[in-house]
Every structure is written in structure tokens, then in C-alpha cells.
Amino acid sequence: MTGPPLPGGTDRLQVTEYTDPLCPWAWGSEPVFRALRAALGEQASWRRVFGILFDTDDDPAPDPAAETRWYEGFVREISGHTGAPHAVRLSRVAATSWPASLVAKAAEAQGGQVADRVLRRLRETMFVTGEPADTLDLALAAADGVPGLDPVRLAADAASPRVLAAVTADHRETRAPLADVLTVTAAGPHPGTAKETPSGELRYALPTVVLTGPLGRRVVPGRRPAASYLEAALAVAPGVSVSAEQPSAEALLAYHRSLTGPEWELLAPGVAPPASAVPVATGNGPLWLHPAEAAAYPAPVSVPPLPR
């Protein structure tokens, strides 16, 4: 979907990612977005907009246990499409995305790599440990031990009016979707058509990515293969060069600290996780942690038994 050229143009590719720390489709899109960031490198500025999937205006479930079991099955179904890990058991449906989004937004003040790793930890509370970070205390605890993170600053920033205003603006922006996503004709299971909220507003489906550059705008909604994002990037910023460099398995694990099976397949095709990687049991295959990440992990992790 291509919009008109931007007023005045821009000499830089800008990527806006509408997401939520606790969204299963966004979790399942992590391999593609990690690959896209690696391919574009410093040529693109990347902005995350936290759309608040679990909002405060959602009605409470009359039977929380039944809702949890239903949502657990829903996440498993999505994992069947994406291959992303899901928790062995989900303790509850997240009450709200606000605390995790506040912590993810606050982490951005401490640098891109810290912010990426904090957001990853927040996603894993839902989809690895099954204990969604739906309070501020839980969200801050999820970030504990992230390399380079100042936890005192993170807590102060996450509780600040500045960060609340930023996430409130994200919430509002997500509920003002471009016309491009009001009718999407792509095939499912997650084409990315705008969603209606309980309050009757429309919002972007999560994830949705908007790419802007000298030649205009492209919107890539829903779940798409990596090639769709690269095609959109080159359509709006044809001067972008795409890196095909593949780091070693050790370097990949040291950089990301946490990798799923689909991420290994996309980021290092044909390469096995290094012997130092710590496998963590999930409901559908291991998550692989760097040994330093495993040592600092803020929640108990289950290591699969060795094959006989």
C-alpha cells in the first residue's frame, strides 16, 4: 500500500511499529522484525508505538479461569501459525497492557539495545513463563538484570508523567489508523485489517508497520514474511542497501541473548544453536538463552531433559 510522497521528502527511511508487549501476533513477528532491523541497520530510524492491546475499558471476565483457558488455546492457535513459543501454562489473561508499555517506553531513554532487551523480557512473561507483566511491579521485575540497565532510573521514568503522556499519545495514535488498513484484502490468518475496540473505536491491528521515505509511504499490516517489509522499504527508500551478513551463532546469541526456534531459522539458516546456549522448555519447543541471560533470568526457567 503506497501513499503519496511525503511533504518535503526525507532522506531517511523511517519505520513505525505498532505493537504491544503482550500481543501474541507481535510476539510471533519478532523473528521478521529482528531480521529487518539487522538488514537495514543504521539506515533506518525505528519507532515503536505501544497500542495497548489489553486496555482499561475492557470488561472483566465473568469467569476468569474459563477466560484464561480459552485465551491459552487462542495463543496456542496463533503459535501454530507463527511457530513462536507459548507458555506451558498461562496463569491468567493479562489485566492490562499499560504497565508493560510504560516500562518498555521508559527503557527507551537508556538506549536502543537496552530497550530491545527490556521489551523482549516483557514479551517472555506472557509467552514463556506464563506470568504476564500486568502490574508495574511485575513489569519492572521482568527487566531485572538486563545488561546496561539502570533499574532505579527505569522505575522512576516508568512512573513519571512524561512516560505516561508518551504512552497515552501512543494509545491515541494507534486508534487513528490510516485509511490503508480499513479494508485489507490479503489472505489470513492475520491480514491486519483495523480492529474495533470495546469502546467502538478503530485501531491498528498489532503488529502493523508503516515505512516512510523519499518516495512516500507503505503500510504493512498484520503478519507478513520478511520479504514484504524489505520490498516496502525499497519502494519508499530505493537508496537503502540491504545487508546480507550472517553473524556466527555465538555472536547472534550474545547480541540478542534470547532466541526462539523460528528466529534461529530466519537469522541463521542451517546453523545450530551453540553448545553454550541454555534451552528453556516452553509449550512447543525450546527457547534458547545466552548463559549470562539464563543466570540473570528474573523467573524460574525449565530446562528440557536431555535425550536418552
Side-chain angles (χ1 to χ4, degrees):
M1 305 174 187
T2 308
L6 299 176
T10 176
D11 59 359
R12 185 171 173 82
L13 176 64
Q14 301 169 8
V15 182
T16 301
E17 175 193 352
Y18 295 88
T19 191
D20 183 282
L22 307 179
C23 172
W25 284 110
W27 168 241
S29 298
E30 280 278 274
V32 169
F33 293 155
R34 282 184 161 183
L36 182 64
R37 291 170 79 96
L40 297 176
E42 297 298 321
Q43 300 169 101
S45 61
W46 197 291
R47 181 173 71 100
R48 288 192 179 104
V49 178
F50 295 103
I52 311 296
L53 176 62
F54 298 98
D55 208 348
T56 51
D57 61 358
D58 295 346
D59 293 330
D63 185 342
E67 184 193 39
T68 298
R69 300 288 76 81
W70 173 84
Y71 197 74
E72 196 174 57
F74 175 68
V75 170
R76 284 198 197 101
E77 182 180 349
I78 293 173
S79 291
H81 294 294
T82 66
H86 60 75
V88 174
R89 188 76 168 170
L90 185 63
S91 68
R92 64 190 179 282
V93 178
T96 171
S97 297
W98 278 93
S101 298
L102 290 167
V103 169
K105 182 68 73 175
E108 292 176 354
Q110 300 193 38
Q113 191 173 65
V114 167
D116 288 350
R117 288 174 173 174
V118 168
L119 178 56
R120 178 62 172 226
R121 287 275 195 88
L122 291 165
R123 295 197 197 280
E124 289 177 5
T125 66
M126 174 78 99
F127 304 110
V128 178
T129 67
E131 296 285 343
D134 56 2
T135 70
L136 191 57
D137 284 346
L138 288 172
L140 290 170
D144 190 42
V146 166
L149 177 73
D150 180 341
V152 175
R153 180 185 179 187
L154 182 69
D157 285 349
S160 70
R162 174 184 62 81
V163 168
L164 176 59
V167 177
T168 300
D170 283 2
H171 180 277
R172 184 169 55 248
E173 181 178 340
T174 304
R175 283 153 184 78
L178 292 167
D180 307 62
V181 301
L182 300 184
T183 54
V184 179
T185 57
H190 188 50
T193 310
K195 304 286 187 181
E196 185 173 355
T197 70
S199 61
E201 299 174 292
L202 290 177
R203 66 160 174 82
Y204 283 110
L206 306 175
T208 289
V209 171
V210 179
L211 303 100
T212 56
L215 299 189
R217 180 189 71 222
R218 282 272 184 117
V219 182
V220 187
R223 180 171 184 263
R224 294 289 189 274
S228 296
Y229 298 95
L230 290 174
E231 178 187 354
L234 292 170
V236 300
V240 164
S241 60
V242 177
S243 172
E245 181 182 355
Q246 181 176 313
S248 68
E250 290 79 6
L252 197 63
L253 189 62
Y255 180 80
H256 289 295
R257 293 177 67 91
S258 169
L259 288 156
T260 65
E263 286 170 336
W264 279 116
E265 292 170 10
L266 187 59
L267 299 174
V271 177
S276 61
V278 179
V280 174
T282 75
N284 59 331
L287 174 82
W288 301 92
L289 299 180
H290 187 276
E293 179 73 2
Y297 213 66
V301 294
S302 174
V303 178
L306 293 173
R308 293 180 180 275

